Amino acid sequence: MEPGGLEWLLVPMQQLVSWGAAGAVVFGGVVPYIPQYRDIRRTQDAEGFSTYVCLVLLVANILRILFWFGRHFESPLLWQSIIMIITMLLMLKLCTEVRVSNELNVKRRSFAAADSKDEEIKAPPRRSYLDFDLNYFWHWSKFTDYVQCVLTFTGVTGYITYLWLDSSLFVETLGFLAVFTEAMLGVPQLYRNYQNRSTEGMSIKMVLMWTSGDTFKTVYFVLNQAPFQFSICGLLQVFVDIAILLQVYLYSHYPQKPVSHTAHPASTKAL
């Protein structure tokens, strides 16, 4: 068979591989959160998952989308950011509903002291993002507060980007901030585990998927001689993932004594 005779088969196969790779890039990032989402729905307990993970990914992907306007990159990476933002909002919605439902069942909010009026009606105090109280930041009672906060951040950063879009320094800095913020992905979960002295409620499958995905991505950066900051941020992500896995081993083999809520009131504030 002549070499040219295989073109009718090779070209469609190459196209399918290309589509498959693009699909993996677009949806691969959200796969680690599927087991965590299912665990929270099944147990109706969101205490083991840090919602600050959602905050990190929302900020990182909003900045990445804005970076696209200054330097167009591959479309699958752009769609990946859009899909990730939708996924994180769904995670926030579920976590907020579960947390508020549990707090209503016990007639209290563990992270805030009710004032006299709240005590009279025996209802937990409602907190809105408009309070601008850092003690309650990203731990609000309604999902709409999170949406309003995300829209505000997007509007402010979008306007700043529009004003400075012609500055290459600003665009490159924006891209670096997007990558670096994503590199901090595992830090909230790492700190949450340290606070609880436990990894109970956290999906180990999610962390294993983080680790494998970040390792593959970092190797890709190194082999393809990606910009230096990409490789450094990728390595940082891998180190944080490994640290979380070490926590899983440590807290499962050497259980820690829970932190006293009396001695450490801040420990009751969920992340």
Side-chain angles (χ1 to χ4, degrees):
M1 181 180 295
E2 296 181 1
L6 295 176
E7 290 185 0
W8 67 273
L9 179 62
L10 292 177
V11 172
M13 287 184 61
Q14 290 175 348
Q15 188 65 45
L16 287 175
V17 170
S18 177
W19 288 345
V25 169
V26 172
F27 297 102
V30 306
V31 171
Y33 300 96
I34 295 177
Q36 182 70 73
Y37 187 92
R38 295 178 62 184
D39 286 347
I40 294 174
R41 284 188 63 89
R42 177 176 56 84
T43 63
Q44 288 297 295
D45 182 5
E47 289 301 312
F49 176 71
S50 173
T51 54
Y52 276 87
V53 170
C54 301
L55 173 61
V56 170
L57 281 174
L58 285 169
V59 171
N61 284 281
I62 289 171
L63 293 179
R64 186 195 290 183
I65 292 174
L66 295 176
F67 176 57
W68 181 85
F69 288 98
R71 175 186 287 186
H72 287 9
F73 45 77
E74 294 83 354
S75 295
L77 291 177
L78 178 63
W79 281 105
Q80 179 196 45
S81 293
I82 296 173
I83 297 297
M84 183 61 75
I85 289 173
I86 295 173
T87 302
M88 289 303 100
L89 290 175
L90 291 175
M91 287 290 294
L92 275 175
K93 186 175 188 297
L94 176 63
C95 290
T96 304
E97 290 174 351
V98 169
R99 187 182 67 244
V100 171
S101 175
N102 291 339
E103 289 172 349
L104 287 175
N105 289 336
V106 296
K107 300 298 182 184
R108 68 181 178 88
R109 290 184 72 96
S110 60
F111 66 94
D115 56 28
S116 57
K117 184 177 180 180
D118 290 320
E119 291 175 352
E120 289 176 3
I121 62 175
K122 298 185 180 302
R126 295 175 60 186
R127 291 287 169 178
S128 167
Y129 84 105
L130 291 175
D131 291 337
F132 291 108
D133 189 338
L134 290 179
N135 292 325
Y136 302 101
F137 178 76
W138 210 249
H139 193 72
W140 303 305
S141 303
K142 298 170 61 179
F143 172 66
T144 52
D145 289 325
Y146 292 96
V147 175
Q148 290 169 357
C149 182
V150 170
L151 290 176
T152 300
F153 174 79
T154 304
V156 172
T157 53
Y159 180 68
I160 295 174
T161 301
Y162 172 76
L163 294 178
W164 291 87
L165 199 58
D166 294 333
S167 171
S168 59
L169 177 61
F170 173 83
V171 171
E172 293 300 325
T173 302
L174 186 64
F176 174 79
L177 288 176
V179 176
F180 182 76
T181 303
E182 188 174 358
M184 296 291 102
L185 170 62
V187 173
Q189 190 66 56
L190 183 71
Y191 179 68
R192 180 57 175 276
N193 297 340
Y194 173 77
Q195 268 196 322
N196 293 343
R197 301 295 194 273
S198 170
T199 57
E200 184 179 357
M202 180 195 72
S203 173
I204 299 177
K205 292 180 181 178
M206 177 186 71
V207 181
L208 288 174
M209 290 179 182
W210 276 357
T211 307
S212 59
D214 292 339
T215 301
F216 174 81
K217 180 173 60 178
T218 303
V219 171
Y220 176 85
F221 288 155
V222 173
L223 293 180
N224 289 274
Q225 298 181 343
F228 181 72
Q229 62 266 34
F230 279 70
S231 300
I232 294 297
C233 291
L235 287 172
L236 181 59
Q237 278 185 283
V238 174
F239 288 148
V240 173
D241 295 340
I242 293 175
I244 295 176
L245 292 176
L246 288 175
Q247 284 182 324
V248 174
Y249 173 80
L250 177 65
Y251 294 144
S252 61
H253 288 77
Y254 306 97
Q256 306 291 304
K257 183 179 179 180
V259 179
S260 172
H261 295 302
T262 302
H264 302 282
S267 65
T268 62
K269 184 174 68 174
L271 289 179

